[in-house]
Amino acid sequence: MARNYLEHSITVGEKVSRLRPESSKSQYSLALGYFSAAHQSIGDTQFAPAEKFARLSLREFEAVASKTQSDSAQYNIALVTRLLAALKTKMGDGREALRYGRQALAIDLNRAKSGKINPEILLDLSFDHNELGDAFAVSKDFVRSLESYKRSQRVLEDLLQKDPHSVRFKGRLADLYGQQGRLLLGLGRLTQAGVFLRQSYSLRRELADISKDISSRALLAESSGDLGIWQCRSGNSREGRELLSAALTKLQETEAATLLLMEGKDTNSRLQGQASVCGLNPSAAR
């Protein structure tokens, strides 16, 4: 239903754009349609269509930006460029991911220099450093990956210090702590990994207690599973198995798994793939 509506909107938008090629409004609407289609394709793990739609979205946003130098126009270009960086990371193309990630960072740094620095621009910069961290990781440059994550972390922690009740900043920071913890775990740096994974769990526990929605519980289950794997690798197999088994049970709930997939997180498959670390049968965990 949603896909059909999106396809119809893009078709209509393309017709309007052909009739009014100089209309910024029609170009902007079409760019948003392409962007939504790219996001949906990523959620469906259809990366080739996702890249096509993202490039089309970027083209339309750049056309709009050529007529105005507003911050919102530059924001949109950075947003799509960052999406292309994330997509290339998912495709394992570290070189292209880094290229797009650096472009997005340059745009947002210029936005910060050109106007009044506000939490939204700082949040965008944290996203840029985060994407570069992912791109460096897929390129196996783990030192620079951790450096980029740390830059993102500093921005987010500063934002949270100024707005300690922000659910959005806490959620982003929890995601980032988890990313760093998983990378360090993969590198065998167990002590450091445990610090980050516990921080991620703590924030997500707090957010789940506040909102009590499915999405928050699903993210909490992800953190529980990560802690379970860390416990097993640290020699605490019994506690690790309990945490991981409980997390997989939660993530097998259709709503939770779907919500995480919509965010680009195939968490269920990732945790199942590491179930053997805790002595669990991956096929039985499904």
Side-chain angles (χ1 to χ4, degrees):
M1 184 75 170
R3 178 177 291 280
N4 291 338
Y5 176 78
L6 184 57
E7 291 174 352
H8 175 71
S9 297
I10 290 175
T11 300
V12 172
E14 288 173 338
K15 288 181 179 178
V16 172
S17 185
R18 284 194 294 269
L19 291 171
R20 303 174 61 190
E22 300 304 317
S23 170
S24 295
K25 185 176 181 180
S26 63
Q27 289 172 326
Y28 178 77
S29 297
L30 186 56
L32 286 179
Y34 287 141
F35 184 77
S36 297
H39 251 298
Q40 189 171 71
S41 297
I42 290 174
D44 295 338
T45 64
Q46 299 294 316
F47 296 148
E51 183 175 4
K52 180 190 77 171
F53 285 126
R55 288 181 182 278
L56 288 170
S57 179
L58 183 59
R59 182 192 70 187
E60 297 301 320
F61 277 134
E62 287 177 336
V64 173
S66 68
K67 303 168 188 175
T68 174
Q69 292 302 311
S70 67
D71 179 73
S72 61
Q74 295 305 307
Y75 162 81
N76 289 326
I77 292 175
L79 181 67
V80 183
T81 305
R82 192 162 55 239
L83 178 68
L84 281 163
L87 177 60
K88 286 298 183 179
T89 294
K90 289 181 180 295
M91 297 169 72
D93 189 343
R95 182 177 178 180
E96 281 294 280
L98 286 168
R99 182 172 72 85
Y100 282 121
R102 286 167 173 150
Q103 286 178 5
L105 177 60
I107 294 169
D108 286 331
L109 284 172
N110 189 58
R111 290 173 59 215
K113 293 176 184 177
S114 301
K116 182 179 178 181
I117 297 179
N118 57 57
E120 296 304 320
I121 291 180
L122 291 174
L123 188 61
D124 290 336
L125 287 169
S126 79
F127 278 120
D128 295 330
H129 288 303
N130 199 152
E131 288 300 342
L132 282 170
D134 292 345
F136 279 123
V138 83
S139 302
K140 308 300 182 186
D141 190 341
F142 301 121
V143 172
R144 283 200 279 184
S145 175
L146 289 168
E147 288 173 351
S148 293
Y149 286 150
K150 186 62 67 177
R151 292 188 185 99
S152 181
Q153 179 185 329
R154 283 196 292 266
V155 174
L156 287 168
E157 287 178 338
D158 185 57
L159 285 170
L160 189 58
Q161 185 176 18
K162 294 173 181 176
D163 186 2
H165 301 295
S166 172
V167 170
R168 182 168 55 154
F169 297 157
K170 287 181 181 180
R172 282 294 305 132
L173 196 53
D175 290 346
L176 183 57
Y177 285 152
Q179 286 175 287
Q180 292 178 88
R182 288 190 292 273
L183 177 56
L184 289 164
L185 186 60
L187 295 174
R189 293 160 64 174
L190 299 180
T191 301
Q192 290 174 287
V195 171
F196 282 113
L197 293 176
R198 284 193 294 266
Q199 287 177 310
S200 178
Y201 178 87
S202 178
L203 281 173
R204 285 180 170 174
R205 174 78 272 171
E206 179 183 344
L207 293 171
D209 288 341
I210 293 171
S211 65
K212 303 185 186 302
D213 60 16
I214 295 174
S215 177
S216 296
R217 294 199 299 272
L219 290 169
L220 181 61
E222 178 184 51
S223 289
S224 296
D226 288 335
L227 275 175
I229 292 169
W230 172 74
Q231 289 280 14
C232 290
R233 291 192 175 180
S234 299
N236 304 316
S237 298
R238 180 178 177 181
E239 185 175 351
R241 276 196 299 271
E242 290 176 356
L243 283 168
L244 181 56
S245 180
L248 287 169
T249 298
K250 175 61 68 176
L251 289 168
Q252 283 172 349
E253 297 176 6
T254 304
E255 297 89 345
T258 300
L259 280 166
L260 289 177
L261 278 170
M262 287 172 65
E263 295 182 12
K265 293 170 172 282
D266 194 358
T267 303
N268 206 22
S269 295
R270 178 176 63 78
L271 293 178
Q272 286 173 352
Q274 300 181 67
S276 59
V277 173
C278 289
L280 295 175
N281 186 333
S283 60
R286 288 186 176 87

mmCIF file of all heavy atoms in Angstrom, residues 12 27 35 56 70 74 98 102 120 122 130 144 189 196 199 203 212 216 221 226 243 265:
data_model
loop_
_atom_site.group_PDB
_atom_site.id
_atom_site.type_symbol
_atom_site.label_atom_id
_atom_site.label_comp_id
_atom_site.label_asym_id
_atom_site.label_seq_id
_atom_site.Cartn_x
_atom_site.Cartn_y
_atom_site.Cartn_z
ATOM 1 N N VAL A 12 3.658 11.095 -10.529
ATOM 2 C CA VAL A 12 3.008 12.396 -10.644
ATOM 3 C C VAL A 12 4.053 13.509 -10.573
ATOM 4 O O VAL A 12 4.019 14.471 -11.354
ATOM 5 C CB VAL A 12 1.952 12.585 -9.540
ATOM 6 C CG1 VAL A 12 1.429 14.021 -9.539
ATOM 7 C CG2 VAL A 12 0.804 11.607 -9.725
ATOM 8 N N GLN A 27 10.531 20.484 -8.005
ATOM 9 C CA GLN A 27 11.805 19.779 -7.866
ATOM 10 C C GLN A 27 12.011 19.288 -6.435
ATOM 11 O O GLN A 27 12.488 18.176 -6.211
ATOM 12 C CB GLN A 27 12.961 20.713 -8.274
ATOM 13 C CG GLN A 27 13.019 20.983 -9.770
ATOM 14 C CD GLN A 27 14.042 22.037 -10.116
ATOM 15 O OE1 GLN A 27 14.263 22.981 -9.366
ATOM 16 N NE2 GLN A 27 14.676 21.885 -11.267
ATOM 17 N N PHE A 35 13.925 10.451 -2.303
ATOM 18 C CA PHE A 35 14.601 10.169 -1.040
ATOM 19 C C PHE A 35 13.843 9.101 -0.248
ATOM 20 O O PHE A 35 14.446 8.163 0.291
ATOM 21 C CB PHE A 35 14.716 11.451 -0.214
ATOM 22 C CG PHE A 35 15.469 11.289 1.067
ATOM 23 C CD1 PHE A 35 16.856 11.213 1.080
ATOM 24 C CD2 PHE A 35 14.798 11.205 2.283
ATOM 25 C CE1 PHE A 35 17.559 11.054 2.266
ATOM 26 C CE2 PHE A 35 15.491 11.049 3.469
ATOM 27 C CZ PHE A 35 16.874 10.973 3.466
ATOM 28 N N LEU A 56 19.050 10.318 -7.825
ATOM 29 C CA LEU A 56 18.010 11.168 -8.401
ATOM 30 C C LEU A 56 17.586 12.244 -7.405
ATOM 31 O O LEU A 56 17.369 13.405 -7.773
ATOM 32 C CB LEU A 56 16.800 10.321 -8.815
ATOM 33 C CG LEU A 56 16.993 9.436 -10.043
ATOM 34 C CD1 LEU A 56 15.809 8.476 -10.200
ATOM 35 C CD2 LEU A 56 17.151 10.291 -11.307
ATOM 36 N N SER A 70 20.234 28.897 0.716
ATOM 37 C CA SER A 70 19.678 28.775 2.062
ATOM 38 C C SER A 70 20.286 27.580 2.790
ATOM 39 O O SER A 70 20.763 26.616 2.179
ATOM 40 C CB SER A 70 18.159 28.616 2.013
ATOM 41 O OG SER A 70 17.817 27.381 1.422
ATOM 42 N N GLN A 74 21.222 23.411 1.616
ATOM 43 C CA GLN A 74 22.472 22.714 1.862
ATOM 44 C C GLN A 74 22.270 21.515 2.789
ATOM 45 O O GLN A 74 22.925 20.478 2.641
ATOM 46 C CB GLN A 74 23.499 23.680 2.462
ATOM 47 C CG GLN A 74 23.919 24.808 1.526
ATOM 48 C CD GLN A 74 24.448 24.297 0.198
ATOM 49 O OE1 GLN A 74 25.355 23.459 0.171
ATOM 50 N NE2 GLN A 74 23.898 24.791 -0.895
ATOM 51 N N LEU A 98 33.576 6.636 1.940
ATOM 52 C CA LEU A 98 34.408 7.708 2.479
ATOM 53 C C LEU A 98 34.273 8.984 1.651
ATOM 54 O O LEU A 98 34.232 10.094 2.192
ATOM 55 C CB LEU A 98 35.871 7.273 2.529
ATOM 56 C CG LEU A 98 36.233 6.275 3.625
ATOM 57 C CD1 LEU A 98 37.628 5.706 3.399
ATOM 58 C CD2 LEU A 98 36.150 6.936 4.996
ATOM 59 N N ARG A 102 32.840 12.306 3.379
ATOM 60 C CA ARG A 102 33.638 13.532 3.467
ATOM 61 C C ARG A 102 32.918 14.704 2.809
ATOM 62 O O ARG A 102 33.029 15.846 3.280
ATOM 63 C CB ARG A 102 35.006 13.295 2.822
ATOM 64 C CG ARG A 102 35.926 12.444 3.688
ATOM 65 C CD ARG A 102 37.134 11.962 2.936
ATOM 66 N NE ARG A 102 38.092 11.282 3.816
ATOM 67 C CZ ARG A 102 38.890 10.308 3.419
ATOM 68 N NH1 ARG A 102 38.844 9.870 2.160
ATOM 69 N NH2 ARG A 102 39.731 9.742 4.276
ATOM 70 N N GLU A 120 20.878 21.593 15.839
ATOM 71 C CA GLU A 120 20.578 20.795 14.658
ATOM 72 C C GLU A 120 21.810 20.608 13.782
ATOM 73 O O GLU A 120 22.066 19.514 13.276
ATOM 74 C CB GLU A 120 19.444 21.453 13.859
ATOM 75 C CG GLU A 120 18.119 21.509 14.593
ATOM 76 C CD GLU A 120 17.641 20.148 15.043
ATOM 77 O OE1 GLU A 120 17.788 19.171 14.285
ATOM 78 O OE2 GLU A 120 17.129 20.046 16.174
ATOM 79 N N LEU A 122 24.937 20.851 14.795
ATOM 80 C CA LEU A 122 25.870 20.008 15.548
ATOM 81 C C LEU A 122 25.461 18.536 15.471
ATOM 82 O O LEU A 122 26.320 17.652 15.347
ATOM 83 C CB LEU A 122 25.920 20.465 17.005
ATOM 84 C CG LEU A 122 26.567 21.836 17.240
ATOM 85 C CD1 LEU A 122 26.427 22.249 18.695
ATOM 86 C CD2 LEU A 122 28.040 21.817 16.838
ATOM 87 N N ASN A 130 29.890 9.960 12.386
ATOM 88 C CA ASN A 130 29.432 8.584 12.586
ATOM 89 C C ASN A 130 29.522 7.793 11.275
ATOM 90 O O ASN A 130 30.014 6.661 11.238
ATOM 91 C CB ASN A 130 28.003 8.591 13.106
ATOM 92 C CG ASN A 130 27.592 7.291 13.777
ATOM 93 O OD1 ASN A 130 26.745 7.279 14.657
ATOM 94 N ND2 ASN A 130 28.193 6.173 13.388
ATOM 95 N N ARG A 144 41.199 4.933 12.448
ATOM 96 C CA ARG A 144 40.465 6.135 12.046
ATOM 97 C C ARG A 144 38.960 5.977 12.248
ATOM 98 O O ARG A 144 38.251 6.961 12.452
ATOM 99 C CB ARG A 144 40.797 6.489 10.592
ATOM 100 C CG ARG A 144 42.160 7.145 10.472
ATOM 101 C CD ARG A 144 42.338 7.917 9.199
ATOM 102 N NE ARG A 144 42.684 7.037 8.090
ATOM 103 C CZ ARG A 144 42.980 7.471 6.862
ATOM 104 N NH1 ARG A 144 42.950 8.760 6.589
ATOM 105 N NH2 ARG A 144 43.302 6.613 5.919
ATOM 106 N N ARG A 189 39.216 -6.130 22.102
ATOM 107 C CA ARG A 189 39.497 -5.199 23.201
ATOM 108 C C ARG A 189 38.313 -5.234 24.165
ATOM 109 O O ARG A 189 37.460 -4.348 24.209
ATOM 110 C CB ARG A 189 39.767 -3.808 22.633
ATOM 111 C CG ARG A 189 41.056 -3.785 21.817
ATOM 112 C CD ARG A 189 41.172 -2.638 20.845
ATOM 113 N NE ARG A 189 41.219 -1.329 21.507
ATOM 114 C CZ ARG A 189 41.430 -0.183 20.848
ATOM 115 N NH1 ARG A 189 41.643 -0.211 19.527
ATOM 116 N NH2 ARG A 189 41.443 0.965 21.497
ATOM 117 N N PHE A 196 31.579 0.533 26.721
ATOM 118 C CA PHE A 196 30.652 1.136 25.761
ATOM 119 C C PHE A 196 29.324 0.381 25.690
ATOM 120 O O PHE A 196 28.259 0.997 25.605
ATOM 121 C CB PHE A 196 31.290 1.195 24.366
ATOM 122 C CG PHE A 196 32.267 2.314 24.204
ATOM 123 C CD1 PHE A 196 33.625 2.054 24.029
ATOM 124 C CD2 PHE A 196 31.858 3.629 24.216
ATOM 125 C CE1 PHE A 196 34.531 3.082 23.880
ATOM 126 C CE2 PHE A 196 32.749 4.675 24.069
ATOM 127 C CZ PHE A 196 34.101 4.398 23.894
ATOM 128 N N GLN A 199 27.227 1.248 28.638
ATOM 129 C CA GLN A 199 26.698 2.601 28.506
ATOM 130 C C GLN A 199 25.503 2.623 27.551
ATOM 131 O O GLN A 199 24.500 3.300 27.805
ATOM 132 C CB GLN A 199 27.785 3.552 28.002
ATOM 133 C CG GLN A 199 28.840 3.897 29.035
ATOM 134 C CD GLN A 199 29.925 4.781 28.457
ATOM 135 O OE1 GLN A 199 30.487 4.495 27.403
ATOM 136 N NE2 GLN A 199 30.238 5.860 29.152
ATOM 137 N N LEU A 203 21.544 3.624 28.713
ATOM 138 C CA LEU A 203 20.729 4.664 28.086
ATOM 139 C C LEU A 203 19.453 4.082 27.484
ATOM 140 O O LEU A 203 18.361 4.661 27.604
ATOM 141 C CB LEU A 203 21.536 5.386 27.007
ATOM 142 C CG LEU A 203 22.534 6.442 27.481
ATOM 143 C CD1 LEU A 203 23.365 6.951 26.314
ATOM 144 C CD2 LEU A 203 21.814 7.596 28.163
ATOM 145 N N LYS A 212 8.240 3.090 26.725
ATOM 146 C CA LYS A 212 7.556 1.798 26.793
ATOM 147 C C LYS A 212 6.966 1.367 25.450
ATOM 148 O O LYS A 212 6.028 0.573 25.401
ATOM 149 C CB LYS A 212 6.441 1.834 27.855
ATOM 150 C CG LYS A 212 6.932 2.201 29.255
ATOM 151 C CD LYS A 212 5.830 2.102 30.281
ATOM 152 C CE LYS A 212 6.279 2.593 31.641
ATOM 153 N NZ LYS A 212 7.438 1.868 32.178
ATOM 154 N N SER A 216 11.566 1.098 21.393
ATOM 155 C CA SER A 216 12.526 1.211 22.502
ATOM 156 C C SER A 216 12.870 -0.154 23.077
ATOM 157 O O SER A 216 14.030 -0.431 23.425
ATOM 158 C CB SER A 216 11.947 2.103 23.611
ATOM 159 O OG SER A 216 11.770 3.415 23.153
ATOM 160 N N ALA A 221 16.625 -4.746 23.504
ATOM 161 C CA ALA A 221 16.957 -6.151 23.260
ATOM 162 C C ALA A 221 18.262 -6.265 22.479
ATOM 163 O O ALA A 221 19.078 -7.157 22.744
ATOM 164 C CB ALA A 221 15.822 -6.827 22.484
ATOM 165 N N ASP A 226 24.006 -7.749 22.620
ATOM 166 C CA ASP A 226 25.421 -7.379 22.512
ATOM 167 C C ASP A 226 26.164 -7.640 23.823
ATOM 168 O O ASP A 226 27.295 -8.138 23.823
ATOM 169 C CB ASP A 226 25.538 -5.893 22.145
ATOM 170 C CG ASP A 226 25.129 -5.609 20.706
ATOM 171 O OD1 ASP A 226 25.207 -6.526 19.874
ATOM 172 O OD2 ASP A 226 24.737 -4.455 20.427
ATOM 173 N N LEU A 243 21.408 -13.713 28.561
ATOM 174 C CA LEU A 243 21.147 -12.408 27.951
ATOM 175 C C LEU A 243 20.867 -12.539 26.458
ATOM 176 O O LEU A 243 19.914 -11.953 25.934
ATOM 177 C CB LEU A 243 22.338 -11.471 28.173
ATOM 178 C CG LEU A 243 22.491 -10.848 29.557
ATOM 179 C CD1 LEU A 243 23.851 -10.187 29.692
ATOM 180 C CD2 LEU A 243 21.384 -9.833 29.805
ATOM 181 N N LYS A 265 18.846 -1.993 10.577
ATOM 182 C CA LYS A 265 19.524 -2.886 11.521
ATOM 183 C C LYS A 265 18.987 -4.303 11.361
ATOM 184 O O LYS A 265 17.884 -4.594 11.767
ATOM 185 C CB LYS A 265 19.272 -2.427 12.965
ATOM 186 C CG LYS A 265 19.879 -1.095 13.364
ATOM 187 C CD LYS A 265 19.328 -0.698 14.721
ATOM 188 C CE LYS A 265 20.015 0.522 15.293
ATOM 189 N NZ LYS A 265 21.326 0.202 15.874
#
